[in-house]
Amino acid sequence: DMIDEGKIRYIGLSNESTFGVCQWINACEQLGIRDKLATIQNSYNLLDRRFDSELAEACHHYDIGLLPWSVLAGGLLSGKYNKRHNGNNIITSTSNSRFVRFGEYMKRWHPNFASKTTLDATEEYAKIASDAGLTPSELAIGFVRSREFVKKNGSVIVGATTMDQLKENLAPFVNDVALDEEVLARINEVHLKCKDPCCCL
């Protein structure tokens, strides 16, 4: 009834598994509303690419676009917490920054608690960004936007605390940042050293 009344136009999933997506597809087909299942909202970023496997395959097959959250890993990939690479006008952390204000927030990405592998990968991504003339945020968001399951019928969820952060996070959209094959290869080299480091102990 709510679909017929125009109150529900599309259906989106969040934090779902491959099995869950298939169950939703089955339920929507039985209800005759398969065309309404449009998006999935899961975590996806340079440090957490779990979506790349079966979930990306299922969503591609069923034409479901990804709306990734935490594309900057809670701010860790912005570079403002990095110790070594602070080039290219990176916005630095302040007393109002998430990981400064909330001491134990999102420990897997928190600069004081994340694994050494996670922090090392973050530094390597910052170096790649610097070499490409980008900020770490621009690289991280540009990478996520380059994925076919985002480009085809998804988008990127960005957040910011300040206007400067918002401008930086929107720059890959405004300037249409396209990462070349060399940059993507370097990103994959870091990824292959330890896939999804923030998801490991």
Side-chain angles (χ1 to χ4, degrees):
D1 290 346
M2 293 180 78
I3 290 176
D4 293 337
E5 292 170 7
K7 294 177 180 175
I8 296 175
R9 296 176 62 194
Y10 295 99
I11 300 167
L13 308 176
S14 183
N15 295 331
E16 194 53 89
S17 65
T18 306
F19 177 74
V21 167
C22 294
Q23 291 291 92
W24 273 99
I25 291 292
N26 184 44
C28 287
E29 285 175 346
Q30 289 183 28
L31 294 170
I33 57 170
R34 167 60 194 92
D35 60 322
K36 300 294 183 186
L37 186 51
T39 63
I40 183 169
Q41 194 178 93
N42 279 35
S43 172
Y44 187 79
N45 59 56
L46 289 168
L47 299 171
D48 181 0
R49 292 172 58 178
R50 291 172 293 171
F51 191 90
D52 281 342
S53 57
E54 300 91 9
L55 201 43
E57 179 183 17
C59 289
H60 172 77
H61 179 75
Y62 293 117
D63 204 28
I64 297 171
L66 176 64
L67 300 171
W69 55 266
S70 273
V71 293
L72 295 179
L76 184 63
L77 287 168
S78 69
K80 64 185 175 182
Y81 301 103
N82 289 15
K83 292 181 173 66
R84 293 193 292 266
H85 302 292
N86 259 333
N88 288 341
N89 301 317
I90 295 171
I91 299 168
T92 57
S93 62
T94 68
S95 60
N96 199 36
S97 297
R98 174 180 291 162
F99 292 134
V100 175
R101 289 184 66 203
F102 306 104
E104 296 194 14
Y105 180 75
M106 297 176 93
K107 283 189 171 184
R108 67 182 174 151
W109 293 327
H110 195 295
N112 293 337
F113 300 104
S115 70
K116 182 181 184 307
T117 310
T118 296
L119 298 176
D120 287 348
T122 301
E123 297 281 353
E124 289 190 63
Y125 291 131
K127 177 68 167 70
I128 294 169
S130 180
D131 291 348
L134 302 168
T135 67
S137 291
E138 290 170 337
L139 179 84
I141 293 169
F143 171 76
V144 172
R145 290 188 73 226
S146 76
R147 306 296 83 192
E148 192 61 34
F149 42 78
V150 173
K151 280 196 305 189
K152 185 178 176 192
N153 52 3
S155 189
V156 177
I157 299 170
V158 297
T161 305
T162 68
M163 187 57 69
D164 285 341
Q165 289 174 353
L166 183 60
K167 288 176 182 176
E168 182 181 7
N169 292 347
L170 292 179
F173 298 87
V174 175
N175 303 324
D176 198 23
V177 170
L179 306 181
D180 62 33
E181 291 303 314
E182 180 185 346
V183 170
L184 291 172
R186 289 184 64 191
I187 287 171
N188 284 329
E189 281 178 24
V190 175
H191 174 65
L192 291 174
K193 287 181 189 176
C194 180
K195 294 182 179 181
D196 313 316
C198 68
C199 305
C200 307
L201 294 176

